Amino acid sequence: MFTLSLGEDGAELFPLEVWQAEEFLAHMDRARPALDPWIPFATFATDLPSARALLQRYADKQAADTGRLYGIRLHGTLVGGVLFRVFDAESGTCEVGCWLEPDATGRGLVTRAVRVLIDWAVDVRSMHRIEWHASAGNTPSIDVARRLGMSRDGVMRESYAYHGVRHDTEIWSVLAPEWRAGRA
């Protein structure tokens, strides 16, 4: 397993694996109130078997080269994560996403971690299009897309139901040439 420093503040990026289910569940319990209004991710891990199942689903996606899941630790505590929710190497398109506990916000952790993922996707895997999907009401998530230099492609109106409410989804993206130019 590897751990990659995300900066001077002690933040680290690492692969989340099935054997870390207890730590992941404790983290989901802390993060659930902040995540639940926007995404069902935390609702998929409400006990140890379901936490293992979610982590196994991403281990299977990684083995199939269709997704990946990474944790963010701050001072040794799991506080959030980033992922390739979708990874389609054949088409050269992937979707990145994130989540974070409330106590860890405002430090740029997600932005730094997603930059690592996009760098890898563009430079190592030759991905052409990196997408970011966010509920139109999830301002912090949309702000990350902006900080990453993504362009707003549009809105899929009422594209998914969650908690009995239809949500609009904003689609943001960056293309490999734009990403490279933004780093230069």
Side-chain angles (χ1 to χ4, degrees), residues 129 132-138 142 146 151-160 166-173:
R129 178 182 168 86
W132 184 273
H133 296 201
S135 174
N138 190 348
I142 292 167
R146 284 189 179 106
S151 297
R152 184 173 180 256
D153 293 338
V155 177
M156 294 189 316
R157 297 178 309 134
E158 297 186 6
S159 63
Y160 73 98
R166 302 282 322 168
H167 291 262
D168 293 349
T169 300
E170 289 197 16
I171 309 298
W172 292 71
S173 69

Side-chain angles (χ1 to χ4, degrees), residues 2 8 20 41 51 63-64 79 91 100 114 121-122 143 156 169-170 173 183:
F2 73 88
E8 302 290 321
Q20 296 162 309
F41 192 75
V79 296
S91 74
L100 200 60
V114 172
V122 169
D143 288 346
M156 294 189 316
T169 300
E170 289 197 16
S173 69
R183 288 187 306 195

Side-chain angles (χ1 to χ4, degrees), residues 14-119:
F14 66 97
L16 266 171
E17 299 177 358
V18 176
W19 63 270
Q20 296 162 309
E22 287 184 35
E23 177 185 21
F24 179 69
L25 177 60
H27 159 61
M28 283 291 105
D29 288 343
R30 294 187 304 270
R32 191 171 289 108
L35 301 182
D36 198 48
W38 310 114
I39 58 174
F41 192 75
T43 64
F44 298 145
T46 57
D47 56 22
L48 200 50
S50 60
R52 280 191 189 107
L54 189 148
L55 294 174
Q56 185 62 57
R57 212 165 44 243
Y58 273 90
D60 295 344
K61 280 182 151 203
Q62 183 165 338
D65 198 27
T66 60
R68 294 171 186 263
L69 184 64
Y70 299 93
I72 300 171
R73 280 200 180 105
L74 186 60
H75 307 297
T77 301
L78 179 60
V79 296
V82 293
L83 70 154
F84 288 109
R85 197 184 74 74
V86 174
F87 195 88
D88 186 343
E90 185 176 331
S91 74
T93 300
C94 61
E95 178 192 338
V96 292
C98 70
W99 73 94
L100 200 60
E101 291 180 20
D103 289 346
T105 61
R107 303 167 192 252
L109 297 173
V110 165
T111 303
R112 287 183 271 160
V114 172
R115 280 188 180 124
V116 170
L117 267 60
I118 296 174
D119 282 345

